[in-house]
Amino acid sequence: MKFPFAAAAFAAGLLTALPALAQDKMTVLLDWFVNPDHAPLVVAKELGFFKDAGLDVELVAPADPNDPPKLVAAGKAELAVSYQPQLQVQVGEGLPLVRVGTLVSTPLNSLVVLADGPVKSVKDLKGRKVGFSVGGFEDALLGAMLEKAGLSLKDVTLVNVNFSLSPSILSGQVDAVIGAFRNFELNQMAIEKHPGRAFYPEEEGVPAYDELILVANKAQAGDPRLPKFLAAVERAVLYILNHPEEAHAAFTKGRPELNDELNRRAWADTLPRFSHSPAALDAGRYARFATFLKARGLIKEALPVDAYAVTLK
């Protein structure tokens, strides 16, 4: 028995649509608990931009901040929020990851001291204590900054303060900290009535890099959901820039803990740092930073950029 043409077309449409519907759900693993760095993702979800793109996106804060890229590499989630330096190191270690988008396109990491303290320049760190939370990359940043000032890591004492960055300065445990996010730690210190001074790696001998990026499993770089996802994120970024108050209301909806003074200040400081075109890739920036990481001994080989970063169309 033959189907009438319309019925056959309808049946074929159903068969075609079913797999697409099944693929609409996406899981995005954040790098940390929800904070203003994630504003485009949260706003895109709250205002229905993902939904308009045909996507059902779940944002998940990790139990362990080190896990998201590894879980994506293992196929446990579609996307993870990560960091350009971390991506380049992990790809060098063999993880099948690829950068598909950018959230924050400037470094946030900084070297912070007390504004009224004795350290007025990086050179003043000689003989002093510097706190850090994550070894390896932060050592490389600090080492490059010290070298530009005519010093080396041997001229300072490194102290592991875990994630107690601002408190370790305020208590006098250390004279400076590396790894402080300029949109958070500086605001936290100002609120505590002990303003900080930041030295920016990109002004002190370190190539500029993308702070927060979106990574996928390399085998899934052709997933048709990814361009839709990035288009929704771009829409959210533009909405945030055009309507900051309305966007902030959407960001804090149901999250009163994100509407305190620290997070409001961080929100304002983070806005200009969001990538206006999340899908865009500056290959030269990635190549320069790979050369830097190799020179600092963090990767063995500066791989071609297209081995770990793509522009989706």
Side-chain angles (χ1 to χ4, degrees):
M1 179 178 178
K2 295 183 178 180
F3 286 106
F5 177 79
F10 178 72
L14 279 178
L15 291 174
T16 303
L18 285 175
L21 288 173
Q23 294 176 354
D24 284 345
K25 185 173 178 59
M26 295 182 69
T27 299
V28 181
L29 303 177
L30 305 179
D31 60 308
W32 197 245
F33 53 84
V34 176
N35 63 73
D37 292 344
H38 308 130
L41 302 178
V42 175
V43 169
K45 183 174 176 66
E46 291 292 340
L47 296 185
F49 297 164
F50 287 136
K51 185 177 180 181
D52 290 346
L55 303 174
D56 178 11
V57 175
E58 181 182 13
L59 304 177
V60 180
D64 183 338
N66 295 310
D67 286 347
K70 299 174 185 176
L71 291 172
V72 166
K76 303 297 185 183
E78 284 76 24
L79 290 169
V81 176
S82 189
Y83 310 84
Q84 179 187 329
Q86 183 180 42
L87 168 70
Q88 291 176 293
V89 170
Q90 290 180 328
V91 169
E93 294 171 346
L95 284 187
L97 296 170
V98 62
R99 172 266 177 212
V100 296
T102 301
L103 273 183
V104 175
S105 58
T106 76
L108 293 178
N109 210 318
S110 61
L111 174 70
V112 169
V113 300
L114 284 171
D116 60 358
V119 180
K120 306 301 182 185
S121 69
V122 175
K123 193 170 184 178
D124 294 334
L125 287 174
K126 185 173 183 178
R128 301 186 185 277
K129 296 179 180 178
V130 180
F132 70 96
S133 58
V134 181
F137 176 59
E138 289 180 2
D139 294 358
L141 282 187
L142 179 61
M145 296 173 77
L146 290 171
E147 286 175 16
K148 187 173 185 292
L151 304 176
S152 74
L153 288 173
K154 294 180 180 179
D155 291 306
V156 301
T157 300
L158 293 175
V159 180
N160 189 338
V161 297
N162 294 314
F163 291 100
S164 185
L165 295 171
S166 300
S168 68
I169 295 182
L170 299 180
S171 68
Q173 181 184 359
V174 296
D175 303 291
V177 291
I178 185 69
F181 268 24
R182 61 194 72 170
N183 55 339
F184 275 93
E185 268 75 21
L186 287 178
N187 283 313
Q188 188 174 34
M189 294 172 72
I191 291 170
E192 295 289 334
K193 308 300 182 185
H194 294 285
R197 178 199 310 275
F199 299 102
Y200 305 121
E202 66 273 23
E203 296 178 358
E204 303 289 344
V206 178
Y209 59 91
D210 294 342
E211 189 68 59
L212 287 183
I213 60 174
L214 293 157
V215 298
N217 188 301
K218 190 173 184 180
Q220 304 302 319
D223 188 329
R225 293 171 295 179
L226 297 180
K228 297 178 183 178
F229 179 90
L230 291 174
V233 173
E234 180 174 333
R235 183 181 173 190
V237 171
L238 296 176
Y239 184 88
I240 291 169
L241 295 174
N242 292 335
H243 310 282
E245 292 184 7
E246 294 90 337
H248 185 259
F251 175 70
T252 57
K253 182 180 178 182
R255 304 176 186 87
E257 72 280 4
L258 295 179
N259 203 19
D260 62 7
E261 185 176 359
L262 174 58
N263 278 284
R264 286 194 297 271
R265 291 190 183 201
W267 168 274
D269 286 348
T270 310
L271 256 60
R273 300 183 181 277
F274 291 129
S275 174
H276 295 181
S277 181
L281 170 65
D282 184 343
R285 168 178 284 196
Y286 279 69
R288 288 189 295 272
F289 206 77
T291 300
F292 169 78
L293 292 175
K294 182 180 178 182
R296 307 307 303 187
L298 292 180
I299 58 176
K300 295 180 180 179
E301 179 184 3
L303 297 171
V305 174
D306 60 9
Y308 57 85
V310 296
T311 301
L312 300 180
K313 298 179 180 179

